[in-house]
Amino acid sequence: MQEKGTISIHTENIFPIIKKFLYSDNEIFLRELVSNAVDATQKIKRLASLGQYNGEVGEPLVEVSFDETAKTITISDNGLGMTADEIKKYINQIAFSGATEFMEKFKEANDANEIIGRFGLGFYSAFMVADQVEIQTLSYQDGAEPARWICDGSTEFEISEGSRTTRGTDIILHVNAESEEFLDKSRLQQILDKYAKFLPVPIKFGERTDSVPDGEDEEGKPKYMDVQSDNIINETNPIWTKAPSELKDEDYLSFYKELYPFSEDPLFWIHLNVDYPFNLTGVLYFPKVKNDFDFQRNKIKLFSRQVFITDEVKDIVPEFLMLLHGVIDSPDIPLNVSRSFLQADSNVKKINTYITRKVADKLNDLFKADRKAYEEKWNDIGLFVKYGYVSDEKFSEKAKDFVLLTNTAKETFTLNEYKEKVEPVQTDKDGQLVYIYTNDPDKQDTFIQSAGKKGYDVLLMNSPIDNHFVSHLEQKLEKTSLKRVDADVADKLIKKDDAPATVLTDEQVTQVKAVFEKAITKPNYKVELESLNPEELPVTVTMDEFMRRMKDMAAMGGGGGMGFYGNFPDSYKVVVNGNHKLITRILETGDEATQSQLAKQAFDLALLSQGLLTGAELTEFVNRSVNLI
Ligand code: ADP
């Protein structure tokens, strides 16, 4: 029995096109062939359970082996096998409606995955690395004959009697010259680790070198060595397939170590498990991150029925949770379609919402169950929570109960607690609550101390996300505004009716102002006289909250990239405290040089206290100070 035929697609030489097009992703041939083999072993089990197969099912097994000398890679399974007719039906008729459609579509496709999934070309991905592919198979059906199919990647194939004696299928790839990298143990191991590590059927992997000469046998024929080093390389029941009740903390931790061998233990994890309205299982871990934006994204692995698909889970996992680690397994995520399709997919949207809700609930539980432990972890989880709070409306609705504020005394508060704490002292004359914060407690220490003297609390906002967090708090909280502690002198941070009266006459104000304006030669520093508490510093340099935020936005590339904010100059206010003794002294001494020196000295001290005095100006200040003492 031998038969030749033509694979039924209408365009000649489609394989060279596929091959070339798919070249960059060619390692996925192994994923496709191994998952076909796994499917075949699962199908026979199913047939047996349905009573459609009465033979021995045996333990399912898939074997991947390679032979460097013969230049072959073989994927064998003890699955249901195929008859010659089935080969013709399933392999020869490529599962898509027509070559024309394929030709149209592949032009838009972005990667191999897209084509393979869309057109059921899984098997044909073998031609990315092989110039000849052979199938040896024996079907489970009563009286089935072994069949062999061979094809060289053109549209010509050949079917003949096969040599397989046990049920199942061997796919033998005769690796092409450009793909010899795959005839390497560590390379294949690496691909299997990536895609097959958690497949539900045991995968054996080893080198099979039966072509190494090994003397002669009794009849004088050359003997060959049969070198095998097989190992089961996968874990068929990874933890996400188990019920949470079966698992202990150690199981979650050791799985984490397995996925990310060099990471510190995670803070906690969430076991995902849904079957309606979509199917999804998985475990998401909150990693311990350093408090900067230098962490690793793309640490969540996406599986479909235990076959690894990708670690780009954008769109499926909400943006603010991209920093989580772990696995998600769902047969309901369309894995092989374009990004834009994925974004519009309703399952993907539901999955996204589900994950957000689960994470919020878990955080809420942790907070409620053990606030102290939660606070201890706040340093690490705060970043996620704040990121979610500013970027995800649904999450922020829940997070308002467990997002924490920390003050300079390292005390933590919920939003409600903080409001209650500061309301009595930090409400301004118009009934507006003013929260005061610092982004750099060392640099802004003078201001923090002054605010403290007035009984104000100062929040710590020094993480990378806090810029956004501050403006979101302002949007979300009623009648509340936030001011950085150096946005104004302490007396003016919160507008009250009890401003101290000025001791200066209008004429004196003009006079003092003139002295300072003359003494301060730095551009963009605007002098203003205020009547502050005499205990406050004589001179304070501040930057208006609004101006500073504009500048911050420009620095972060705001203004739609139009350079709109880019032109904001530094603009500082030099607040001269008219009630301070020094000002009286300046007025009393008639000597212009002394006046100027005193003004300069006071101004430099203000700059110094904020780390704004550097370089030649600092040197000049030091010299002047030495002269003065
Ligand atoms: P898909 O797997 O998406 O259907 P493939 O091109 O990978 O597309 O495979 C086509 C068909 O060939 C499969 O659906 C299956 O019926 C058959 N097949 C492929 N590999 C095997 C195998 N190892 N054992 C039995 N049947 C197989």
Side-chain angles (χ1 to χ4, degrees):
M1 163 191 119
Q2 196 181 58
E3 191 183 328
K4 295 200 179 198
T6 307
I7 289 164
S8 36
I9 45 173
H10 306 111
T11 312
E12 285 293 307
N13 296 331
I14 197 166
F15 295 131
I17 299 171
I18 299 176
K19 256 202 294 199
K20 201 169 150 214
F21 182 77
L22 300 181
Y23 194 70
S24 61
D25 259 343
N26 57 4
E27 66 177 32
I28 61 171
F29 77 92
L30 198 55
R31 176 186 83 190
E32 295 300 318
L33 298 177
V34 171
S35 10
N36 278 352
V38 166
D39 288 349
T41 63
Q42 290 179 323
K43 281 178 192 161
I44 191 69
K45 233 178 162 171
R46 206 171 141 65
L47 286 170
S49 72
L50 293 171
Q52 292 175 26
Y53 173 60
N54 299 316
E56 184 69 36
V57 178
E59 285 302 310
L61 183 68
V62 172
E63 292 186 67
V64 177
S65 61
F66 71 105
D67 183 330
E68 218 184 321
T69 326
K71 297 197 194 325
T72 56
I73 297 172
T74 303
I75 296 97
S76 304
D77 64 68
N78 58 1
L80 82 174
M82 284 179 278
T83 61
D85 280 344
E86 284 169 335
I87 297 182
K88 285 185 226 164
K89 194 161 136 203
Y90 299 134
I91 302 291
N92 293 345
Q93 290 169 14
I94 296 179
F96 58 90
S97 48
T100 343
E101 190 203 353
F102 174 79
M103 294 303 277
E104 271 310 302
K105 289 285 160 63
F106 96 89
K107 280 186 254 159
E108 304 158 15
N110 290 320
D111 58 29
N113 272 319
E114 210 170 310
I115 296 192
I116 288 172
R118 190 89 145 252
F119 300 102
L121 292 179
F123 173 78
Y124 282 94
S125 62
F127 288 103
M128 296 193 289
V129 299
D131 43 33
Q132 209 174 38
V133 178
E134 192 181 336
I135 303 177
Q136 286 281 6
T137 179
L138 176 59
S139 164
Y140 73 99
Q141 292 170 41
D142 282 343
E145 296 284 334
R148 172 180 188 258
W149 176 93
I150 188 151
C151 177
D152 65 1
S154 71
T155 51
E156 308 283 315
F157 69 89
E158 196 182 296
I159 284 195
S160 59
E161 204 175 306
S163 59
R164 206 175 147 119
T165 53
T166 53
R167 188 199 69 221
T169 305
D170 302 322
I171 309 286
I172 303 143
L173 311 180
H174 297 268
V175 174
N176 63 32
E178 309 92 80
S179 305
E180 285 184 5
E181 58 167 303
F182 295 113
L183 291 167
D184 176 70
K185 189 160 187 181
S186 58
R187 178 74 174 106
L188 287 173
Q189 180 77 52
Q190 175 207 358
I191 305 171
L192 290 170
D193 275 347
K194 182 164 169 191
Y195 294 104
K197 207 175 160 84
F198 300 109
L199 284 175
V201 165
I203 314 290
K204 230 174 168 189
F205 170 60
E207 186 169 4
R208 189 155 283 98
T209 322
D210 47 13
S211 40
V212 176
D214 188 23
E216 294 176 348
D217 65 12
E218 296 96 74
E219 291 168 30
K221 288 197 198 131
K223 242 174 54 178
Y224 294 99
M225 228 190 279
D226 187 8
V227 186
Q228 272 173 250
S229 51
D230 284 344
N231 265 325
I232 301 287
I233 52 104
N234 60 326
E235 194 181 318
T236 54
N237 288 310
I239 66 166
W240 76 84
T241 63
K242 297 178 186 165
S245 57
E246 287 175 44
L247 296 162
K248 295 200 195 66
D249 284 0
E250 298 95 86
D251 299 320
Y252 289 103
L253 290 171
S254 71
F255 183 65
Y256 187 78
K257 277 269 180 285
E258 192 177 335
L259 290 179
Y260 317 104
F262 303 108
S263 300
E264 265 185 76
D265 278 355
L267 299 165
F268 57 88
W269 48 87
I270 302 169
H271 198 129
L272 307 168
N273 202 338
V274 233
D275 43 34
Y276 183 82
F278 50 84
N279 259 295
L280 181 124
T281 49
V283 179
L284 291 180
Y285 292 91
F286 272 69
K288 216 169 153 53
V289 288
K290 281 172 223 101
N291 229 0
D292 53 30
F293 272 102
D294 184 31
F295 22 53
Q296 307 204 12
R297 288 163 164 271
N298 293 335
K299 280 291 196 175
I300 299 176
K301 293 169 192 285
L302 183 63
F303 290 77
S304 176
R305 299 185 209 277
Q306 296 173 239
V307 183
F308 172 75
I309 303 299
T310 176
D311 40 23
E312 272 185 39
V313 294
K314 208 167 168 288
D315 302 323
I316 293 158
V317 173
E319 170 75 20
F320 76 98
L321 294 175
M322 291 286 286
L323 308 169
L324 299 189
H325 293 181
V327 298
I328 292 174
D329 190 333
S330 174
D332 291 335
I333 298 171
L335 300 164
N336 297 302
V337 291
S338 66
R339 259 288 107 73
S340 54
F341 187 83
L342 205 56
Q343 280 167 351
D345 186 80
S346 68
N347 267 343
V348 170
K349 282 211 187 93
K350 282 182 208 144
I351 288 170
N352 202 302
T353 311
Y354 168 80
I355 292 175
T356 306
R357 202 186 65 224
K358 280 297 261 193
V359 170
D361 290 348
K362 175 78 184 188
L363 288 163
N364 203 22
D365 290 350
L366 284 174
F367 175 69
K368 292 256 164 70
D370 187 350
R371 172 156 179 173
K372 203 165 158 278
Y374 181 88
E375 282 181 3
E376 277 161 12
K377 289 180 186 145
W378 181 248
N379 232 344
D380 297 294
I381 51 179
L383 209 58
F384 294 100
V385 177
K386 286 177 180 175
Y387 194 1
Y389 185 81
V390 305
S391 66
D392 190 299
E393 199 50 51
K394 285 211 188 82
F395 183 80
S396 87
E397 196 39 50
K398 299 203 168 209
K400 67 179 190 323
D401 296 329
F402 54 79
V403 66
L404 297 182
L405 302 172
T406 309
N407 68 9
T408 47
K410 300 274 191 291
E411 299 165 308
T412 51
F413 308 87
T414 63
L415 295 180
N416 279 338
E417 288 164 357
Y418 195 69
K419 182 175 180 218
E420 266 170 37
K421 174 183 167 69
V422 301
E423 210 163 24
V425 187
Q426 295 181 212
T427 306
D428 73 7
K429 61 183 171 47
D430 304 316
Q432 182 90 0
L433 252 174
V434 182
Y435 290 1
I436 300 167
Y437 67 96
T438 173
N439 70 330
D440 190 339
D442 285 337
K443 238 177 166 179
Q444 290 151 7
D445 185 68
T446 320
F447 290 96
I448 295 170
Q449 304 250 2
S450 298
K453 270 187 227 148
K454 294 199 68 84
Y456 298 161
D457 191 71
V458 180
L459 289 170
L460 210 52
M461 293 287 184
N462 56 352
S463 91
I465 187 84
D466 281 338
N467 253 336
H468 297 278
F469 183 55
V470 162
S471 47
H472 273 260
L473 278 176
E474 215 161 43
Q475 283 167 27
K476 299 254 160 70
L477 302 175
E478 249 172 82
K479 289 196 89 173
T480 305
S481 57
L482 280 91
K483 268 189 177 175
R484 200 166 90 178
V485 67
D486 60 346
D488 217 327
V489 288
D491 274 352
K492 305 270 163 174
L493 273 174
I494 302 173
K495 303 259 177 316
K496 306 243 174 157
D497 284 329
D498 60 356
T502 176
V503 295
L504 302 181
T505 65
D506 286 356
E507 195 188 328
Q508 284 172 318
V509 167
T510 320
Q511 210 184 332
V512 174
K513 213 171 160 188
V515 169
F516 276 90
E517 277 170 351
K518 220 169 148 190
I520 297 168
T521 48
K522 274 166 90 79
N524 306 324
Y525 282 73
K526 191 164 168 283
V527 178
E528 266 175 47
L529 247 81
E530 306 264 13
S531 50
L532 308 175
N533 190 325
E535 301 300 312
E536 288 288 331
L537 288 172
V539 176
T540 315
V541 173
T542 63
M543 188 191 278
D544 178 69
E545 182 74 14
F546 175 76
M547 292 302 276
R548 208 204 61 250
R549 286 197 202 179
M550 287 302 209
K551 266 178 63 71
D552 287 350
M553 261 152 81
M556 290 187 303
M562 304 287 284
F564 175 68
Y565 298 115
N567 296 330
F568 272 91
D570 281 338
S571 121
Y572 295 100
K573 200 163 88 176
V574 180
V575 181
V576 178
N577 181 1
N579 297 342
H580 195 276
K581 282 200 297 274
L582 180 78
I583 306 307
T584 327
R585 214 178 126 195
I586 288 179
L587 284 167
E588 278 166 6
T589 156
D591 176 35
E592 242 185 71
T594 314
Q595 280 180 336
S596 169
Q597 217 181 32
L598 289 172
K600 273 197 174 125
Q601 190 73 1
F603 174 62
D604 281 355
L605 281 169
L607 292 177
L608 189 70
S609 75
Q610 294 173 66
L612 289 170
L613 198 62
T614 53
E617 287 165 354
L618 180 59
T619 314
E620 194 197 320
F621 166 77
V622 171
N623 290 337
R624 187 182 334 110
S625 302
V626 171
N627 282 340
L628 281 171
I629 58 176

